Amino acid sequence: MQLTRGFLLNTGRRIWVQAKLLPAVLVLVSLMSSVASAAGTWAAAAPLAKGRADHPGILLANGKVLVVAGDSDPDVLKTCELYDPALNTWSAAGSLAVARDDHATTLLGNGKVLVTGGGNGVDGTQTLAELYDPTTNAWTAAGSTVAAHIAHTATLLANGKVLVVGGRGGLSPGLAIAELYDPATNAWSSAGTLTKGRYDHSATLLASGKVLVAGGSTGTALALNAELYDPASNAWSNGGTLTTGLASHRAVALASGKVLVAGGAVSGATSELYDPISNTWSATPPMNQSRSAHSMTRLIDGTVLVVGGYAGAAILASSELYDPVANTWTATGSLVVEPRGLHSATLLPSGKVLVASGYRTGYVTTSEIYSPTVAANATCRPDIDGDGFVTATTDALILLRVAMGMNGSAVIAGINLPATASRNTWPLIRDYLVTQCGFGLP
């Protein structure tokens, strides 16, 4: 899941600005009087109408959160719900044409949401893709994938297309097939073949525009290798070797450009870092708690929040933060309503995190909000370049790129900073974000 989907290229700039910058602007405004620190608190939020698990939660351009289908009792769901952070309320969203769990959702550059794959509780697989339009609150068909994908990944590329990778095809073992969806033509095409089929893996968009696919299960063993997809060549290459086999883990891009992976059904408390410069993996300190079916969300200060999940038969309420600068994990309180796994976790424009539904001893309807502890900081303003104005094409775009893991001069590449900007170089902007706004940048 969110703001960490990719970086801008000139070919997709107009679409991205329309659909992606509103949440970034809202985050900027939230920084005017406060800045996140390394701890936080939990509070109950409004409950959903229907308990569900294995459901994605995705932040829309209007600031609301869409949760899509999922597993439930007695059947897999078609229904979707919308959370409004301003009102702390849930409302019905349009229903899918087919029920799904173990599916994937992707926010497109045009503001619509693409859902792919999943099981439907009847024949096990779905090739039909669907599109959600927030303006009509309804779903329409988005063509069909060549293969049926379950427990796959779907990643928005910088060119606006969506890369769908691997998964299970019904009862078949891990799929090696990858496919591309083009929103401009509403059509699917081949994206090559992985060297090793897999499901329950992770896929992370790198600052280079490539996609890192890591871990997963082949159906008979855990995949130690990672693979890189290059949209420019539509080809795959080696992405290094993990130190530990991972499946059902979580992954997030850090502000440094590295990728953090943590947890999983077998690996427990393990966490690792991928360095795209050296194309290598290295072990990091383990989490304080072994967990799978957890969530992992990068916060606006650069730290990473891990919540809930399962440790064997235990259902977890604990949460912890990874600090990429200190390379440490610290506890940050526990869910106050109930423990859960297979939930969704979505970063809100305010910098808070919505944790919704999931599974305990049944499908829970409850949701909770994580609020990072804030400290007053009168010097942090959304005017990132220091020209006296807040604009979407400079200040919000800079923040968006940082939130997506970009670093260095690439953050301001192609941005026309005004002559009146007092912070007109990356070192000056970086210093401001770190010292005045508390961002965790290398």
Side-chain angles (χ1 to χ4, degrees):
M1 99 85 244
Q2 29 189 356
L3 293 178
T4 54
R5 293 285 184 186
F7 71 105
L8 296 179
L9 293 177
N10 290 335
T11 55
R13 184 184 182 95
R14 181 175 300 172
I15 292 176
W16 277 82
V17 167
Q18 289 175 345
K20 300 293 279 186
L21 290 188
L22 178 57
V25 171
L26 295 174
V27 171
L28 277 166
V29 171
S30 76
L31 291 174
M32 292 183 67
S33 61
S34 63
V35 54
S37 66
T41 58
W42 289 93
L48 291 81
K50 181 70 173 178
R52 61 191 72 213
D54 261 348
H55 58 285
I58 194 160
L59 179 67
L60 303 177
N62 60 15
K64 295 181 180 180
V65 176
L66 174 71
V67 296
V68 180
D71 197 13
S72 193
D73 187 14
D75 297 310
V76 177
L77 298 176
K78 296 180 182 179
T79 60
C80 306
E81 301 188 45
L82 283 170
Y83 178 74
D84 188 335
L87 301 177
N88 186 32
T89 57
W90 290 89
S91 60
S95 292
L96 294 161
V98 293
R100 305 171 190 263
D101 66 354
D102 265 345
H103 51 297
T105 57
T106 313
L107 180 65
L108 304 180
N110 58 16
K112 296 181 180 181
V113 177
L114 174 72
V115 63
T116 55
N120 62 12
V122 180
D123 60 17
T125 59
Q126 282 300 334
T127 58
L128 175 69
E130 302 185 55
L131 278 177
Y132 174 77
D133 187 340
T135 62
T136 62
N137 194 28
W139 294 87
T140 57
S144 294
T145 54
V146 173
H149 301 266
I150 303 176
H152 57 293
T153 55
T155 308
L156 183 65
L157 305 177
N159 59 16
K161 296 180 180 181
V162 177
L163 175 70
V164 169
V165 177
R168 292 180 285 110
L171 299 177
S172 66
L175 299 173
I177 189 172
E179 306 188 48
L180 280 177
Y181 174 73
D182 188 343
T185 60
N186 196 34
W188 291 87
S189 61
S190 174
T193 304
L194 293 89
T195 60
K196 184 171 290 187
R198 63 190 75 208
Y199 61 92
D200 284 337
H201 53 281
S202 61
T204 310
L205 186 66
L206 305 178
S208 64
K210 296 181 180 180
V211 176
L212 174 72
V213 170
S217 173
T218 66
T220 57
L222 296 180
L224 277 170
N225 74 313
E227 304 189 44
L228 288 169
Y229 174 76
D230 187 346
S233 60
N234 194 33
W236 292 88
S237 61
N238 174 50
T241 303
L242 292 92
T243 62
T244 304
L246 301 172
S248 299
H249 54 287
R250 303 294 183 259
V252 67
L254 303 177
S256 63
K258 296 181 179 180
V259 176
L260 173 72
V261 298
V266 177
S267 50
T270 297
S271 65
E272 300 189 36
L273 281 176
Y274 171 76
D275 186 340
I277 303 300
S278 61
N279 195 29
T280 58
W281 292 85
S282 59
T284 58
M287 294 185 290
N288 295 311
Q289 170 70 60
S290 295
R291 57 184 86 222
S292 63
H294 53 296
S295 62
M296 192 158 74
T297 310
R298 179 177 154 189
L299 306 182
I300 61 172
D301 68 349
T303 58
V304 178
L305 174 69
V306 170
V307 180
Y310 308 129
I315 306 168
L316 304 176
S318 63
S319 62
E320 48 190 302
L321 282 173
Y322 175 74
D323 184 335
V325 177
N327 193 29
T328 56
W329 292 91
T330 57
T332 183
S334 296
L335 296 162
V336 294
V337 179
E338 58 187 323
R340 67 191 73 208
L342 295 173
H343 52 279
S344 62
T346 310
L347 181 66
L348 302 177
S350 63
K352 298 179 180 181
V353 177
L354 171 70
V355 169
S357 207
Y359 191 87
R360 186 180 182 181
T361 53
Y363 299 95
V364 302
T365 61
T366 58
S367 61
E368 309 190 33
I369 295 284
Y370 175 80
S371 300
T373 300
V374 297
N377 190 337
T379 60
C380 182
R381 294 287 185 268
D383 177 18
I384 301 300
D385 61 9
D387 70 338
F389 300 93
V390 178
T391 62
T393 54
T394 55
D395 305 297
L397 183 51
I398 289 170
L399 179 65
L400 180 62
R401 288 181 173 184
V402 169
M404 292 184 296
M406 295 183 69
N407 190 33
S409 59
V411 175
I412 60 173
I415 297 177
N416 295 319
L417 294 172
T420 55
S422 61
R423 292 180 285 272
N424 56 8
T425 66
W426 170 244
L428 290 174
I429 290 171
R430 178 202 172 278
D431 182 69
Y432 175 75
L433 292 175
V434 171
T435 62
Q436 304 303 319
C437 296
F439 275 59
L441 299 175

